[in-house]
Amino acid sequence: MSEDIRWEVVEESALSLTDHEAIAAMLAQAFPSWSHWYVGGRSWAGMQPERRVLGRTEDGVVLAHVGIRRMFVTVGGEDVLVGDTGLVGVSPRLQGSGVGRELMERVHDVLDGLRVPYGFLGAGEDRIPFYAHMGWHEFPEAVGTFSAFTADGAGVVETEQGGWMVRPVTARLEDWPEGPILLNGQQV
């Protein structure tokens, strides 16, 4: 890895406008097809995280980011507390350098500290092997429904099969309920 990265866990209320702008700039680079979401200080696409894991340079440039929020999802009719994990991004120039692995190790520490039963995330098909290598388990038959908001703020209900992943934290993977997943709102 060519750059020194300072890692930190930051609560949402401790972020400044400058922080949000730096996060948004990196997310726009990491997700170019979604860059219209990440303008100015808008550093989120759905639900705002409660905690963020940031990897920055000494001068504050954000190189890696994850957002986490505790929330309940309903799985097969049962409410389950999860650490919803999203906005996982690494600066394009550092992708493939091991920074993503370091980032996810820190995410695991945050989830452990939150003492949630499970970490939870929705992953694109091309990202599933990475998360699986990091200890997340996919439920490929699971169907998840959530509120997706457009950049203009209009909400639409989305249903997707596959890509729903869980990481046991204080509970056992075997205790994850079976059935459809209802996020009861937005994803992080």
Side-chain angles (χ1 to χ4, degrees):
M1 186 173 54
S2 61
E3 300 197 39
D4 289 328
I5 297 179
R6 268 185 322 135
W7 293 99
E8 60 186 322
V9 176
V10 183
E11 295 200 11
E12 191 70 7
S13 60
L15 292 170
S16 68
L17 177 57
T18 302
D19 293 326
H20 283 288
E21 290 169 341
I23 295 166
M26 191 284 298
L27 291 173
Q29 290 175 10
F31 304 106
S33 61
W34 293 72
S35 62
H36 61 285
W37 285 73
Y38 307 114
V39 293
R42 185 183 165 91
S43 64
W44 63 94
M47 186 182 325
Q48 273 185 279
E50 76 177 271
R51 291 208 172 91
R52 302 198 191 219
V53 179
L54 300 174
R56 303 186 203 222
T57 62
E58 197 61 40
D59 60 358
V61 175
V62 175
L63 300 173
H65 174 274
V66 169
I68 301 168
R69 182 174 194 91
R70 287 173 282 199
M71 64 183 274
F72 283 93
V73 297
T74 303
V75 184
E78 182 180 334
D79 286 341
V80 180
L81 178 62
V82 298
D84 188 36
T85 303
L87 299 169
V88 181
V90 173
S91 173
R93 72 174 191 257
L94 294 175
Q95 290 175 2
S97 70
V99 171
R101 179 171 286 116
E102 285 186 61
L103 177 64
M104 291 308 293
E105 288 170 0
R106 284 166 173 76
V107 166
H108 296 170
D109 291 343
V110 171
L111 291 170
D112 290 344
L114 291 172
R115 307 239 355 110
V116 292
Y118 303 98
F120 179 81
L121 63 82
E125 188 175 320
D126 60 333
R127 300 289 183 243
I128 291 170
F130 168 76
Y131 292 117
H133 182 73
M134 296 301 302
W136 294 74
H137 178 81
E138 182 194 15
F139 291 93
E141 301 303 316
V143 174
T145 302
F146 58 96
S147 296
F149 284 80
T150 68
D152 298 323
V156 293
V157 175
E158 295 278 339
T159 299
E160 296 178 1
Q161 180 174 341
W164 300 108
M165 302 190 80
V166 170
R167 178 184 177 269
V169 180
T170 64
R172 299 176 326 143
L173 184 61
E174 298 80 24
D175 294 332
W176 180 261
E178 290 185 22
I181 301 167
L182 178 61
L183 273 71
N184 304 317
Q186 302 168 311
Q187 297 180 65
V188 167

